[in-house]
Amino acid sequence: MPTNERDIIIEHVLDLDNKENLEVALDIISRTQDIRSRIIKTFLGELKVFICEELDKLDMSQWKWETELCADPYGKNSHSFGVSSKFGVGILLKGSATLKSLYIGVFSSRTNELSNESMNHLKSRLDEECGSGRSWEDETEIWIWYQSLKLPNRDYTDWTNKDTLIEMHTYPKRVAKAIGNHLLEIIEVAKPEIEKWVKQNPSAQ
């Protein structure tokens, strides 16, 4: 006899006296990614609205939106959602194709990277004001500072997680505000430091 919730559900689905249960379950399984994708797209729409309203208070004329994550959350490549500048620096929420390594932070492109002194100063400021972060780099970009997307009451790193998806679907505005405020906090710290570097390095523009 099944003793836990998982086994009870499986037995219910496989009950031969209620064959329609198996049909419904298999239909849901086949559409799982579509369901997740719709939840994420709807949520990211709320997040963008929240952030745009707040960014109206800042001068973002040198910055543009990055919305690849919103366009196709489960695409083959990594995706991003946030703002980037025309001088090769971004402040982004970024994830892998499966969204199992979602993180938030500040990056600089290899073709137009900030000086080591500027990057170290910016990382120190972010550590102090936004919490401890890590650095990482590859052949195309340098992540000056980044964190896994964890807030006090929820780990949003894995957007395939059942509880996270339920919360995003049930309370999209609340979750958008929580994540949005953290992204805005990072933007408010990083933006003046990046723009100061750009003014000191006209060739970067």
Side-chain angles (χ1 to χ4, degrees):
M1 184 175 179
T3 57
N4 59 54
E5 182 181 358
R6 188 184 187 91
D7 289 339
I8 291 170
I9 292 171
I10 291 172
E11 290 297 323
H12 185 65
V13 168
L14 297 178
D15 183 0
L16 291 176
D17 293 328
N18 295 282
K19 295 179 182 178
E20 65 276 9
N21 291 344
L22 178 59
E23 182 178 352
V24 170
L26 292 175
D27 284 342
I28 292 172
I29 290 170
S30 70
R31 308 306 297 178
T32 296
Q33 189 152 298
D34 292 335
I35 293 169
R36 288 172 175 165
S37 181
R38 183 169 172 180
I39 291 171
I40 291 168
K41 285 183 178 181
T42 300
F43 164 73
L44 289 175
E46 293 285 354
L47 180 60
K48 184 172 182 178
V49 168
F50 174 79
I51 294 174
C52 281
E53 289 176 352
E54 295 299 315
L55 288 182
D56 282 344
K57 303 169 186 175
L58 303 172
D59 176 14
M60 302 299 292
S61 58
Q62 302 293 315
W63 300 75
K64 64 180 180 179
W65 272 104
E66 300 286 347
T67 57
E68 292 179 10
L69 186 65
C70 189
D72 187 4
Y74 290 95
K76 293 181 180 179
N77 302 312
S78 62
H79 303 287
S80 57
F81 181 87
V83 291
S84 68
S85 70
K86 67 180 184 182
F87 32 83
V89 182
I91 303 166
L92 301 173
L93 171 67
K94 188 160 183 166
S96 67
T98 61
L99 297 180
K100 279 187 170 292
S101 57
L102 200 67
Y103 49 94
I104 188 168
V106 181
F107 81 92
S108 172
S109 68
R110 280 288 189 187
T111 56
N112 200 14
E113 64 186 80
L114 277 67
S115 66
N116 288 334
E117 183 179 352
S118 296
M119 285 194 291
N120 291 336
H121 178 68
L122 177 53
K123 185 180 185 306
S124 296
R125 286 284 314 281
L126 288 163
D127 281 341
E128 181 180 342
E129 299 192 35
C130 302
S132 180
R134 293 182 287 175
S135 301
W136 173 81
E137 58 185 272
D138 62 16
E139 294 179 356
T140 61
E141 62 188 21
I142 299 171
W143 279 82
I144 301 165
W145 175 94
Y146 76 94
Q147 297 173 328
S148 295
L149 191 58
K150 296 179 181 180
L151 300 177
N153 60 342
R154 170 68 64 187
D155 181 353
Y156 290 102
T157 304
D158 181 2
W159 285 7
T160 64
N161 178 270
K162 179 185 71 174
D163 292 336
T164 297
L165 288 166
I166 289 172
E167 185 172 358
M168 288 167 64
H169 179 63
T170 308
Y171 307 106
K173 291 183 183 296
R174 185 175 76 187
V175 178
K177 183 176 180 180
I179 294 177
N181 277 332
H182 192 47
L183 183 59
L184 286 165
E185 181 183 25
I186 296 167
I187 289 172
E188 288 177 357
V189 173
K191 178 179 178 289
E193 296 293 332
I194 293 167
E195 291 179 347
K196 178 182 176 182
W197 176 82
V198 171
K199 287 181 180 178
Q200 294 172 346
N201 296 270
S203 61
Q205 301 184 51

